[in-house]
Amino acid sequence: MKPLSAVKYSTLDLVPVRENGSPGQSLRNSLDLAQHVEKLGYTRFWVAEHHNMDGIASSATSVLIGYLAGGTSTIRVGSGGVMLPNHAPLVIAEQFGTLESLYPGRIDLGLGRAPGSDQMTARALRRERSGSADDFPEDVAELMAYLGPRTPEQRVIAMPGTGTNVPVWLLGSSLFSAQLAGERGLPYAFASHFAPRYLHEAIRVYRNHFKPSAVLDKPYVMLGVPLVAADTDEQADYLATSVYQRILALMRGQSLVQRKPVQSMDGLWLPHEKEAVASFLGLAMVGSPAKIRAKLQVLIEQTGADELIFTCDLYEHADRLHSYELLSQVMKG
């Protein structure tokens, strides 16, 4: 069995905005967290593109990545992910080519095929752009061509971008991207931090369809994992109520601003809602280091994952910092 110390561990920051907080404070907290996990030995720090969500401040993903990379020195920084249907591939190639030119060897480009928003917001983002999720395979190929070496017949180039070979990851919560990532020989990140249902099937599809490429000679699987680590199981259960309230608000179509933890969720959710939140967070690691270590060992044994990327949406920034600190101790054995 693969030991935890052989598994890479990373951070996915959703840049949460809390009640009575501000986007500016959330963005500064994100940099502080990136600097914190860099010192703790985390491999990468990713942020994700979301739109029209009052509780998430990472909509201008490329801009934020530049801020984070500029404030750190060794940790890889990237997108988990950019929602490619919202953008012309050339624009993303130029943005990430610029980032790679400024911070060579430290930029990752994770791509998703969902809009990261509702349909009304998707229309507002795209206007005349006719792109859709159906174009995703062609858009990925076009984007990678812009980032690859320039060819003699190439009429359109990304500048900066051409020849940078920014590492591209495919992200997904269904089987489509798993198959595509395998066929293209790209690393694959499964969004098990919010959609654990297809986890094992997606990994199987990815590995079965994998073809070695110039990027990878064998499959590489990263899994998203929700994290609430604290000194005791009881403290972790208490802090996790902020996460439960946020998922509940998402399911109800309510504001996603972070809410303070509560002593009990009784009366805040209905039985079927409690069940739905539990399903959403099926892979969540909530507890003391000992409890989390045991659960992670089972996860690695069942999946053989190469890397885990953790998201931790706690109300107090200090609790998030401590949570990632405890996790690093677990992962180092």
Side-chain angles (χ1 to χ4, degrees), residues 12-52:
L12 171 63
D13 184 19
L14 298 181
V15 197
V17 181
R18 67 184 220 174
E19 287 177 324
N20 68 33
S22 70
Q25 188 58 58
S26 297
L27 294 166
R28 287 186 288 273
N29 283 346
S30 187
L31 176 57
D32 186 61
L33 179 59
Q35 294 167 339
H36 183 66
V37 298
E38 179 177 64
K39 291 173 188 159
L40 293 171
Y42 283 68
T43 299
R44 64 191 93 240
F45 189 93
W46 281 3
V47 289
E49 178 184 349
H50 293 87
H51 299 281
N52 198 27

Side-chain angles (χ1 to χ4, degrees), residues 48-64:
E49 178 184 349
H50 293 87
H51 299 281
N52 198 27
M53 296 183 180
D54 61 357
I56 298 179
S58 53
S59 56
T61 315
S62 302
V63 177
L64 178 54

Side-chain angles (χ1 to χ4, degrees), residues 114-224:
S117 62
D118 55 82
Q119 287 306 310
M120 187 183 302
T121 309
R123 282 194 296 273
L125 279 165
R126 298 175 198 172
R127 286 300 174 99
E128 301 306 316
R129 171 159 160 72
S130 58
S132 76
D134 297 334
D135 303 325
F136 188 65
E138 292 75 24
D139 284 349
V140 170
E142 182 182 344
L143 174 52
M144 292 186 69
Y146 288 134
L147 294 172
R150 185 175 183 177
T151 59
E153 71 280 2
Q154 190 171 346
R155 301 283 298 276
V156 178
I157 64 166
M159 181 53 66
T162 186
T164 55
N165 296 300
V166 178
V168 170
W169 294 66
L170 294 194
L171 283 52
S173 57
S174 66
L175 306 182
F176 182 93
S177 291
Q179 181 171 334
L180 183 63
E183 291 170 349
R184 300 280 172 91
L186 295 173
Y188 177 60
F190 184 76
S192 37
H193 59 292
F194 68 82
R197 186 171 158 201
Y198 295 108
L199 167 64
H200 296 287
E201 181 69 4
I203 293 174
R204 186 187 66 77
V205 167
Y206 170 61
R207 288 177 174 151
N208 285 349
H209 285 85
F210 186 84
K211 297 173 184 171
S213 68
V215 179
L216 281 180
D217 58 358
K218 60 182 180 180
Y220 192 94
V221 173
M222 178 197 281
L223 303 180

